């Protein structure tokens, strides 16, 4: 799993962009290349008591989705029309970037409570789908839930 490469002390997140059954780019949360990891410096957000979902700019790391976008850009790979598989539902910052990249569908394992991200992705026509990691259906396939099922938008 891509998320296992994360060096974040608070949450390990990974993301993979796919198109036509081919992996386009991968990313995980962590600091920019050449910058010390939080394991060495300590978590700035934790030290300052910043709750999850607030003040995203106060962090040494990039989000997994941001690193997918950066990696695809470095290697000249378009994300237009791709699907994104991610550990967590994107925050509003990543949602806006994914909208502009032309991602068409987002699959995620855990919901991240960001109402504006949900609203903007829906307005852009990007579908999101929660994939259950433990439960299975009668046919053996993982359970799936679309954004509109069981969650108020």
């Amino acid at each position: 799993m891509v998320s296992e490469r994360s060096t974040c002390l608070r949450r390990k997140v990974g993301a993979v962009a796919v198109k036509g059954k081919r992996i386009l780019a991968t990313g995980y949360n962590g600091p920019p290349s050449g910058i010390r990891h939080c394991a060495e410096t300590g978590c700035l957000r934790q030290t300052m008591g910043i709750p999850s979902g607030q003040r995203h700019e106060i962090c040494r790391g990039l989000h997994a989705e941001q690193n997918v976008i950066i990696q695809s850009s470095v290697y000249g790979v378009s994300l237009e029309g791709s699907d994104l598989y991610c550990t967590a539902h994107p925050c509003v910052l990543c949602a806006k970037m994914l909208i502009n990249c032309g991602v068409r569908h987002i699959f995620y394992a855990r919901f991240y409570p960001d109402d504006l991200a949900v609203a903007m992705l829906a307005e852009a026509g990007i579908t999101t789908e929660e994939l259950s990691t433990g439960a299975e259906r009668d046919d053996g396939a993982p359970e799936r839930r679309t954004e509109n099922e069981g969650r108020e938008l």
Side-chain angles (χ1 to χ4, degrees):
M1 298 221 323
V2 178
S3 65
E4 290 303 310
R5 293 191 47 90
S6 170
T7 58
C8 180
L9 302 175
R10 292 178 105 180
R11 175 179 291 144
K12 291 185 177 295
V13 178
V16 180
V18 176
K19 186 175 183 181
K21 298 184 180 183
R22 302 246 187 257
I23 294 174
L24 301 177
T26 62
Y28 53 90
N29 57 330
S33 298
I35 302 296
R36 291 181 297 149
H37 296 269
C38 296
E40 297 174 55
T41 64
C43 176
L44 183 60
R45 294 175 59 79
Q46 192 168 331
T47 302
M48 295 177 73
I50 299 170
S52 179
Q54 298 179 16
R55 306 291 314 267
H56 295 281
E57 74 280 7
I58 300 177
C59 180
R60 295 177 60 82
L62 294 159
H63 291 186
E65 302 93 329
Q66 293 168 337
N67 275 322
V68 163
I69 294 165
I70 292 164
Q71 185 185 43
S72 66
S73 175
V74 166
Y75 292 104
V77 176
S78 173
L79 296 179
E80 183 76 36
S82 66
D83 296 336
L84 185 80
Y85 291 82
C86 195
T87 307
H89 187 284
C91 71
V92 69
L93 295 174
C94 292
K96 291 186 282 187
M97 292 178 198
L98 295 167
I99 290 166
N100 276 358
C101 286
V103 169
R104 67 182 177 111
H105 195 95
I106 299 170
F107 298 93
Y108 60 93
R110 290 190 316 259
F111 184 73
Y112 181 79
D114 190 326
D115 294 338
L116 185 55
V118 170
M120 290 183 81
L121 290 168
E123 183 178 343
I126 297 174
T127 56
T128 60
E129 191 171 332
E130 184 174 10
L131 299 175
S132 174
T133 55
E136 291 195 2
R137 300 185 314 200
D138 291 341
D139 62 1
E143 277 191 28
R144 293 182 176 187
R145 183 172 76 181
T146 61
E147 195 65 43
N148 295 337
E149 291 181 79
R151 188 169 283 117
E152 193 172 308
L153 295 179

